[in-house]
Amino acid sequence: MSLDVSDKRISSTDPSQKCTFPPAPVTTQDLQASTTDTNEDLTPSTTVPPTPVTTQDSDPHATPSAATGRDLYDASMRGDLERVKRILAAGNVDINYRRWSVTPVMAAIQKGHRDVVEFLVGRGADVSLVDRDGNNVLHYACYDGDVETVKLILDLDVVDVNARNNNGQTAADIARISRHQRVVDLLVSRGAH
């Protein structure tokens, strides 16, 4: 069984994926036009940058951009840590954005990008979420078989080591199916069945 989410044929019913656009820059001419008579001679227009947009974590009332969420997801899946950092620093992005029910941290785990996983977790990515098949981040880590990523997730102590996906499989089951014996041994040492 594969969790490859890069297949573009999968359609989404996720309402968070509607297209939104960032605010347009405001010019001094726009500001003056709203407060002066249009027959008056206005000074030449200069661009005023838009009000800085903060991340969703900083401003719970901000509306995250779906396009930026997709960018974050793609950068996470590709393991482009610098791009992930830039996207999050720019703000107006949901760190738990879902594409085909998969979050950026799940995508990074699936593709074996531990540095991106650690960064996203450090920035507050919710590792308790599951995809539409009931797989959590520990399931994803067990498919990949990276012992250090599995340790990282277990050390967070957020995910039930014996949680089952919609097929009734635990993370240890996934590790066994994927033939990652070191991961199975680690999970069993932490109470997995």
Side-chain angles (χ1 to χ4, degrees):
M1 171 178 243
S2 172
L3 286 177
D4 190 1
V5 294
S6 60
D7 187 353
K8 302 292 187 219
R9 295 173 294 163
I10 300 173
S11 65
S12 174
T13 57
D14 187 352
S16 69
Q17 292 189 21
K18 59 186 171 188
C19 185
T20 59
F21 299 95
V26 178
T27 65
T28 53
Q29 187 173 13
D30 293 335
L31 294 174
Q32 289 175 345
S34 66
T35 59
T36 61
D37 184 358
T38 56
N39 293 331
E40 292 181 29
D41 182 31
L42 300 175
T43 57
S45 175
T46 58
T47 301
V48 176
T51 305
V53 182
T54 59
T55 62
Q56 184 179 13
D57 296 335
S58 302
D59 182 3
H61 303 293
T63 303
S65 163
T68 307
R70 283 189 300 275
D71 289 344
L72 177 63
Y73 177 92
D74 290 340
S76 299
M77 186 176 68
R78 289 185 174 94
D80 189 344
L81 180 59
E82 293 308 311
R83 186 168 167 223
V84 167
K85 288 178 179 179
R86 283 192 308 271
I87 292 167
L88 289 175
N92 198 29
V93 62
D94 180 359
I95 197 166
N96 297 308
Y97 170 85
R98 290 178 179 261
R99 188 174 219 179
W100 304 299
S101 81
V102 177
T103 65
V105 74
M106 290 174 183
I109 290 170
Q110 177 192 11
K111 297 296 185 177
H113 304 300
R114 189 175 351 123
D115 57 341
V116 174
V117 173
E118 290 173 351
F119 181 77
L120 291 171
V121 168
R123 287 294 306 266
D126 188 347
V127 294
S128 69
L129 299 174
V130 298
D131 68 10
R132 67 175 163 226
D133 296 321
N135 294 303
N136 61 34
V137 291
L138 192 54
H139 286 97
Y140 276 84
C142 289
Y143 273 109
D144 182 54
D146 181 8
V147 174
E148 294 304 315
T149 301
V150 173
K151 281 182 189 176
L152 169 70
I153 294 165
L154 290 172
D155 289 345
L156 294 173
D157 200 26
V158 175
V159 178
D160 177 5
V161 72
N162 290 306
R164 295 185 180 276
N165 65 16
N166 296 350
N167 293 324
Q169 298 167 316
T170 65
D173 293 333
I174 300 298
R176 285 183 190 104
I177 291 167
S178 302
R179 297 188 176 149
H180 299 299
Q181 190 57 47
R182 289 181 54 215
V183 172
V184 172
D185 295 341
L186 173 61
L187 292 169
V188 169
S189 76
R190 299 284 186 102
H193 299 120

